[in-house]
Amino acid sequence: QVQLVESGGGLVQSGGSLRLSCSVSASMHSFNAMGWYRQGPGKERELVALFTFGSSTNYADSVKGRFTFSRDNSKNTIHLSMSSLKPEDTAVYYCYADQLYSGEMYKYWGQGTEVTVSS
């Protein structure tokens, strides 16, 4: 069973920066896609950044130019570097990964890490 463990959330002032990390219990090369989603108060879960192997990273319009997805294959870790944070970025951020085996898609989620941006 694949496990994803996030870290790095917290309280930050508007305009500040944070870096989220997600440790993955399997080789990065076993995944089809990896990335980050978030769920703000009273909102649906939404995509923030999704990296698909063999393709590029897709970002939500609301975070383009401010957030950057990165991965460290040697440490089986992915990151989300967030800058110029706004109060509307306040949410629980979830690490995500999926695997494709024999035509079946297997999706994995972390437990979430909370990010609060104060105005």
Side-chain angles (χ1 to χ4, degrees), residues 64-75:
K64 283 181 180 177
R66 299 188 299 122
F67 290 13
T68 303
F69 171 89
S70 62
R71 56 194 176 99
D72 185 339
N73 292 342
S74 66
K75 296 182 180 179

Side-chain angles (χ1 to χ4, degrees), residues 9-18 20 38 41 66-67 82-93 114-119:
L11 174 64
V12 63
Q13 288 189 332
S14 182
S17 300
L18 275 178
L20 306 183
R38 69 184 180 186
R66 299 188 299 122
F67 290 13
M82 307 183 292
S83 63
S84 302
L85 283 161
K86 305 175 182 180
E88 51 263 45
D89 294 318
T90 294
V92 177
Y93 284 72
E114 192 164 359
V115 173
T116 302
V117 184
S118 63
S119 57

Side-chain angles (χ1 to χ4, degrees), residues 60-114:
D61 288 342
S62 60
V63 307
K64 283 181 180 177
R66 299 188 299 122
F67 290 13
T68 303
F69 171 89
S70 62
R71 56 194 176 99
D72 185 339
N73 292 342
S74 66
K75 296 182 180 179
N76 285 352
T77 302
I78 64 172
H79 303 284
L80 183 68
S81 298
M82 307 183 292
S83 63
S84 302
L85 283 161
K86 305 175 182 180
E88 51 263 45
D89 294 318
T90 294
V92 177
Y93 284 72
Y94 296 91
C95 180
Y96 167 87
D98 61 54
Q99 295 175 318
L100 189 61
Y101 286 127
S102 301
E104 293 280 340
M105 180 70 77
Y106 297 87
K107 299 182 179 182
Y108 305 100
W109 296 92
Q111 81 285 356
T113 186
E114 192 164 359

Side-chain angles (χ1 to χ4, degrees), residues 28-50:
M28 308 278 270
H29 298 291
S30 69
F31 296 103
N32 171 65
M34 307 184 75
W36 296 88
Y37 284 72
R38 69 184 180 186
Q39 187 166 13
K43 298 181 180 180
E44 299 283 322
R45 190 174 296 191
E46 62 177 358
L47 180 146
V48 176
L50 186 68

